[in-house]
Amino acid sequence: MTRVVSLFFPTWPTDRLRRAMGTSAPSAETPIVMLGRQGNRRLVLAADAAARAAGLRIGMPASKAQVLVQSLQSFDLDAAGDAAALDRMALWSLRYAPIVAADPPDGLIIDTTGADHLHGGEETMLVGLVSRMASSGIAARAAVADTWGAAHACARFLARPIFVAPAGQAAAIVRDLPIGALRLPHDIVEGLTTLGFERVSEVEAAPRASLTLRFGPELGRRLDQAMGRRSEPFEPVRSPELIEVRRAFGEPIGAAETIARYAGKLVVMLCEELEAKGLGARRLDLLLHRVDNRIEAIRVGTAVPVRDAKRLTRLLTDRIETVDPGFGIEVMTLAATLAEPFGAKQIISSLVEEPEPDITDLIDVLANRIGEQRLYRFAPVESDVPERSVRRVAPTAPDEGTTWPGDWPRPPRLLNHPEPIETMALLPDHPPVWFSWRGIRRRVARADGPERVFGEWWQRDAELIAVRDYFQVEDESGERFWIYRAGDGEDPETGSHKWFLHGVFA
């Protein structure tokens, strides 16, 4: 099932203008519009959120807009600059999927088929996309659906700020939207509105021949594309600096073994190009152009720069089973969409020295199967507060030399959140005689502590006098736990004096 993401920038030209002007840009409360000529008239072609809130709309005469809003800031629309900026944003979006294209005048289109799991799922991926745009000062909405037309419509009419259309339900969702969701020219939308059409379902139910006779074939084409009855291929964006190799076939190929064989040959050619430039691949995109103008894609990534042909070929061939060759593949393209300097290093310096184990190959296999976001290791952080003393880092992140304190052992399993327990203990320095956790009462046979942990007053004022007293306890069955009392057992301002279980020892 094809899945397509549409990224919509509702105030795109004005957002780009503010970024270009930097600190000299007008404040967010100042209405901004972009003006341009259509024939002999000077019209509003784009408006930011403040201008829309003031009652301005696209297509309004510039003179009328300036009369309605006295503090209006107007600028000439730079269509070429906006298009070039969209292309640059499309190149940036290649980190999400191999097939990305600009969707002028105010959006991007991303074919994420088979790639969403690498980013934590469709919803997580859309949230990340919108958040990254917002951090750059660009308002965005995002939607994913089965077709370009459906995703385009959902991004503009349903996304707040994201929308995930269930697989197979795109047609039903589009039918309930206004006719403006079909990407039709303004004159066709006005003509349909004059005839009394409001929803896409009403247009679909009307006789196709009479509508085509009056409005031309574009109405039917857009309707079929949104419903998934007609394919809509698009040409993915490519950077001039991209390292890429290509193979065309006189006769289309379709067998998995044949695809794998030619993928291996392309990898060898690409590695030669990378070696000539002193680079290693961090991300490869294999695009398979079918005879029906549809593009199938395989994306693999590596933890470190690689130009080992056998290793890269294995990563690609592991994903060939996800490819639908259709009636055949006529062109294969392999590109290193992310490449980094390849630094050679000496493995061993003597015959008796043991080589350093290299697990990056295993990391690559796992990351491409389950997603790199789910693959990590824990690294220590200089903090006495247990839940702040650990963080997630990439599996191949360099060791910074930081270690956990060795005075008191820490449990290998730390709960996400400390869980309250019932206890009986003598205050202030004695461990509990027994405690009850998750409905099971345990008698304490041995205990060690307390280890007093102070709050980090520089984080927040509430931790200025807060303390915790931790105990290592062992029950009668030999299981060991890490529990603490919030407070010093005497002063109520240091904590609630309630008991919590924070970790379990192996």
Coordinates of all heavy atoms in Angstrom, one line a residue, residues 31 48-56 68-69 72:
P31 N 0.8 42.8 10.2 CA 0.3 42.0 9.0 C 1.2 42.2 7.8 O 1.7 43.3 7.5 CB -1.1 42.6 8.7 CG -1.5 43.3 10.0 CD -0.2 43.8 10.6
D48 N 0.1 36.5 5.6 CA 0.4 35.8 6.8 C -0.8 35.7 7.7 O -1.9 36.2 7.4 CB 1.6 36.4 7.5 CG 1.3 37.8 8.1 OD1 0.2 38.3 7.9 OD2 2.1 38.3 8.8
A49 N -0.6 35.1 8.9 CA -1.7 34.8 9.8 C -2.3 36.1 10.3 O -3.6 36.2 10.4 CB -1.3 34.0 10.9
A50 N -1.5 37.1 10.6 CA -2.0 38.4 11.1 C -2.8 39.1 10.0 O -3.9 39.7 10.3 CB -0.8 39.3 11.5
A51 N -2.4 39.0 8.7 CA -3.2 39.7 7.7 C -4.5 39.0 7.5 O -5.5 39.6 7.2 CB -2.3 39.7 6.4
R52 N -4.5 37.6 7.5 CA -5.8 36.9 7.4 C -6.7 37.2 8.5 O -7.9 37.4 8.3 CB -5.5 35.4 7.3 CG -4.7 35.0 6.1 CD -4.3 33.5 6.2 NE -3.3 33.1 5.2 CZ -3.7 32.6 4.0 NH1 -4.9 32.3 3.8 NH2 -2.8 32.2 3.1
A53 N -6.2 37.3 9.7 CA -7.0 37.7 10.9 C -7.6 39.1 10.7 O -8.7 39.3 11.3 CB -6.2 37.6 12.2
A54 N -6.9 39.9 10.0 CA -7.4 41.3 9.8 C -8.5 41.4 8.7 O -9.0 42.5 8.4 CB -6.3 42.2 9.5
G55 N -8.8 40.3 8.0 CA -9.8 40.2 7.0 C -9.3 40.3 5.6 O -10.1 40.3 4.7
L56 N -8.0 40.2 5.4 CA -7.4 40.2 4.0 C -7.5 38.8 3.5 O -7.4 37.8 4.2 CB -6.0 40.7 4.0 CG -5.8 42.1 4.7 CD1 -4.4 42.5 4.5 CD2 -6.8 43.1 4.1
L68 N -7.9 48.8 4.1 CA -8.5 48.1 5.2 C -7.5 48.0 6.4 O -8.0 48.0 7.5 CB -8.9 46.7 4.8 CG -10.1 46.6 3.8 CD1 -10.3 45.2 3.4 CD2 -11.3 47.2 4.4
V69 N -6.2 47.8 6.2 CA -5.3 47.6 7.3 C -4.2 48.7 7.1 O -3.4 48.7 6.2 CB -4.6 46.2 7.2 CG1 -3.7 46.1 8.4 CG2 -5.7 45.2 7.2
L72 N -0.4 47.7 7.4 CA 0.0 46.6 6.5 C 1.4 46.8 5.9 O 1.7 47.9 5.5 CB -1.0 46.5 5.4 CG -0.9 45.3 4.4 CD1 -1.0 44.0 5.2 CD2 -1.8 45.4 3.3

